[in-house]
Amino acid sequence: MKRADLEQSLTEAVKASHPEFETFAGVIVERVVPAARGGANWAVRGVRYGKADRHRSGIVLSYCVEEAQLKFEVSE
């Protein structure tokens, strides 16, 4: 999956989780070397919260990232 597509997917997942997160602005993903064999080759580098509550949207984002790291690899 391309990095930009993954960033968009994570952003949409957070926004769709609850109406209060509609102002969530986005996620910045970077490619990394996996720490363990079979681990994710990407990590969240930064988060743009917009006007969304940082704590609450951060919890939702961490759940979305955990799920996505099991499913996707960054190709670029």
Side-chain angles (χ1 to χ4, degrees), residues 3-24:
R3 191 171 53 95
D5 295 336
L6 179 58
E7 290 172 349
Q8 183 65 32
S9 174
L10 289 170
T11 300
E12 289 174 4
V14 172
K15 286 182 173 186
S17 68
H18 195 276
E20 77 176 280
F21 302 134
E22 288 179 1
T23 59
F24 184 81

Side-chain angles (χ1 to χ4, degrees), residues 5-68:
D5 295 336
L6 179 58
E7 290 172 349
Q8 183 65 32
S9 174
L10 289 170
T11 300
E12 289 174 4
V14 172
K15 286 182 173 186
S17 68
H18 195 276
E20 77 176 280
F21 302 134
E22 288 179 1
T23 59
F24 184 81
V27 178
I28 302 167
V29 171
E30 70 178 341
R31 190 168 182 179
V32 297
V33 176
R37 187 174 206 182
N41 72 340
W42 61 274
V44 174
R45 182 175 184 180
V47 181
R48 297 177 298 238
Y49 292 99
K51 293 188 178 189
D53 180 88
R54 288 176 180 252
H55 177 70
R56 292 172 54 96
S57 58
I59 292 170
V60 173
L61 176 61
S62 66
Y63 174 76
C64 294
V65 167
E66 285 179 31
E67 293 286 314

